[in-house]
Amino acid sequence: MDKTTDSASSGNELQNETNSNRTEQKDESTAEAYLEHLLNNGCNEGDSEYEMEMPSWYNDTLFREGQTYMSKYRFVLQSGMLAGLIAVLSIPSILKVLMCTRQSSTPSTAYRRYLRTILHTQAWYQYPPEPKNSKFWISLRAVRKAHSRSSRACAKLGSGMITQKDLALTQFGFIGFITLGAYRIQLYDQEFLEATSHMWRVIGYLLGIKDEYNICGRNWSETNLRLDIVLRKVYIPALENASQDFEDATKALLHGLWPVNTSLTVGSYLFMTKRLACVKGYEYYEFDHRPGAQRDPNQHLYYKDLSWWDRFIVFYGLFLVTYLHKYSAVRWYLNFRVWLNEQISYYVPYVAMFTFGFKWAFVRIFTKAGSENDFKYHLKVE
């Protein structure tokens, strides 16, 4: 009787393992198909030309829930997005368009360009999707129009247009690190992952990404597969082989945003970005290695190349978010710090005043009347 039971149990375990392997193979195949379509076909298509209307699959409850997480996880969301913006600069086609627009090639221009990005992102979290004349819609229309204008202009100058591939890879910058890396900060909130995935699927759609290219799928499970394969096969190689233009653009970005957050340094944030991307040699904790990856004892650890100040920032930042962020009091403190920086940067940007000048320091995406605040391009002429 015992032998029969043991045999049946072993058979069930073997069957479960086989089914699990088949599921993993199917998931990988699905993700591979998405990536192949994105890279091979997405590079030939521009804006989806979808109307600025909510898609048929829009879930209002889930979307609004996604918006609420900015107040709960403000610090890690903003940090993850900043790392994402840096990672996006490693994609040559995206960087080429950015260089063409000349909106982020120097600290002063990068300050205004990326502060606008931050303000627009805040608007998507802060303002409700109803009514249709809310600042949520005004912001999205302004960004989509800016993409369209810069895409056409840069294409004429030979720098390429903004493609579906570029839009989807940029979308990764806003959602990839905070979701794929959630376990690293002991954030095991499944509702957060589902709601955030849906929210950014909607935003991607409204910014002109076709459903077939949208890096956010029908649910978190599908989104996770897409984000993971894009990280493994696009971002890790891109960051491992980053160009000098990437280094220059990253320096401009971080020096530009230094008046917003004076703890930003190029060395520390480049390290933390590559750590989040699982680039070899940028591990800090033992669990930074990808699951199943073997640690190479001969791998150079780039943390050792950092200055003592960069090392301190990395230690302080990672210790806070890894071990203390799970506590409500610490999370409140970190969120408050970010919120306070945002208020100072908006109303009294005194550091930016001294750094870039009084008028340049004030950045607005809305006029006093509530309409979009347009801005001028200074396109690079070859």
Side-chain angles (χ1 to χ4, degrees):
M1 185 69 175
D2 290 341
K3 290 183 178 180
T4 303
T5 303
D6 290 344
S7 177
S9 178
S10 299
N12 289 335
E13 290 178 2
L14 181 60
Q15 183 63 45
N16 290 337
E17 184 177 348
T18 301
N19 291 338
S20 177
N21 290 336
R22 287 176 179 172
T23 300
E24 289 179 4
Q25 291 173 0
K26 182 180 179 181
D27 288 345
E28 181 68 14
S29 177
T30 301
E32 288 277 5
Y34 164 78
L35 183 63
E36 182 179 358
H37 182 51
L38 176 66
L39 298 182
N40 294 337
N41 301 318
C43 61
N44 299 316
E45 299 184 45
D47 186 278
S48 66
E49 299 185 0
Y50 290 159
E51 294 292 330
M52 290 288 287
E53 300 286 345
M54 287 299 188
S56 59
W57 41 261
Y58 172 70
N59 183 320
D60 187 68
T61 302
L62 201 56
F63 183 88
R64 290 175 187 265
E65 181 184 346
Q67 288 182 306
T68 65
Y69 286 107
M70 177 56 78
S71 59
K72 186 175 183 179
Y73 300 129
R74 184 180 297 271
F75 179 84
V76 290
L77 277 172
Q78 296 283 32
S79 299
M81 288 179 192
L82 178 55
L85 287 175
I86 293 173
V88 164
L89 297 176
S90 68
I91 307 301
S93 58
I94 296 176
L95 183 56
K96 194 172 183 180
V97 171
L98 287 173
M99 292 172 64
C100 175
T101 62
R102 300 176 70 180
Q103 290 294 303
S104 52
S105 55
T106 66
S108 60
T109 55
Y111 165 75
R112 293 182 67 84
R113 185 254 188 268
Y114 290 112
L115 192 51
R116 281 199 305 269
T117 299
I118 292 170
L119 292 173
H120 278 298
T121 305
Q122 289 173 354
W124 304 338
Y125 275 96
Q126 179 180 351
Y127 297 106
E130 295 292 341
K132 285 298 293 289
N133 63 348
S134 75
K135 289 183 177 179
F136 171 84
W137 288 99
I138 294 171
S139 169
L140 284 168
R141 281 193 289 267
V143 171
R144 192 167 178 181
K145 184 173 76 172
H147 286 171
S148 178
R149 287 171 55 192
S150 59
S151 181
R152 291 196 303 269
C154 291
K156 289 180 180 179
L157 292 173
S159 294
M161 66 176 181
I162 298 175
T163 66
Q164 288 287 304
K165 182 200 74 172
D166 296 331
L167 290 171
L169 294 182
T170 301
Q171 193 181 17
F172 177 97
F174 288 94
I175 186 178
F177 290 142
I178 184 57
T179 53
L180 290 178
Y183 72 94
R184 292 183 175 187
I185 57 174
Q186 303 182 59
L187 202 170
Y188 305 110
D189 189 340
Q190 189 66 27
E191 293 179 355
F192 161 73
L193 296 173
E194 288 289 353
T196 299
S197 171
H198 181 74
M199 177 186 168
W200 280 97
R201 185 188 185 199
V202 172
I203 290 175
Y205 176 94
L206 294 175
L207 289 178
I209 303 179
K210 294 182 177 181
D211 288 343
E212 63 197 273
Y213 298 116
N214 201 315
I215 207 165
C216 296
R218 292 164 295 181
N219 49 49
W220 165 242
S221 178
E222 188 173 58
T223 300
N224 186 26
L225 291 173
R226 294 181 177 185
L227 291 172
D228 183 68
I229 198 166
V230 166
L231 175 65
R232 287 187 285 118
K233 300 201 172 183
V234 177
Y235 274 104
I236 291 179
L239 287 167
E240 285 178 335
N241 302 284
S243 65
Q244 184 59 48
D245 286 337
F246 164 78
E247 299 283 346
D248 295 340
T250 299
K251 288 178 182 178
L253 185 160
L254 292 171
H255 289 157
L257 289 181
W258 180 82
V260 179
N261 181 355
T262 54
S263 68
L264 291 178
T265 65
V266 175
S268 65
Y269 231 90
L270 258 178
F271 178 88
M272 288 191 280
T273 298
K274 293 186 178 184
R275 170 187 173 266
L276 283 170
C278 300
V279 176
K280 290 184 178 180
Y282 288 87
E283 299 86 1
Y284 189 80
Y285 295 115
E286 191 63 34
F287 55 76
D288 285 338
H289 296 275
R290 285 186 61 83
Q294 295 293 323
R295 182 173 183 177
D296 182 0
N298 298 318
Q299 173 66 57
H300 178 69
L301 299 179
Y302 293 96
Y303 175 77
K304 297 179 180 179
D305 298 337
L306 298 177
S307 68
W308 69 268
W309 179 242
D310 286 336
R311 289 191 185 193
F312 172 75
I313 293 174
V314 170
F315 162 76
Y316 176 72
L318 294 186
F319 181 78
L320 278 177
V321 298
T322 303
Y323 297 107
L324 302 181
H325 180 265
K326 62 183 178 180
Y327 299 110
S328 298
V330 175
R331 194 162 58 244
W332 180 90
Y333 162 71
L334 294 174
N335 291 344
F336 175 75
R337 273 183 47 190
V338 175
W339 176 85
L340 184 61
N341 277 346
E342 292 170 355
Q343 304 310 304
I344 293 173
S345 298
Y346 191 82
Y347 294 106
V348 195
Y350 62 93
V351 179
M353 290 180 197
F354 286 107
T355 307
F356 303 125
F358 184 84
K359 288 185 177 180
W360 198 260
F362 290 89
V363 179
R364 299 289 185 269
I365 60 172
F366 302 116
T367 65
K368 291 182 179 179
S371 60
E372 66 177 272
N373 198 6
D374 206 0
F375 59 93
K376 296 180 180 180
Y377 290 101
H378 303 283
L379 296 173
K380 181 179 180 181
V381 180
E382 299 293 346

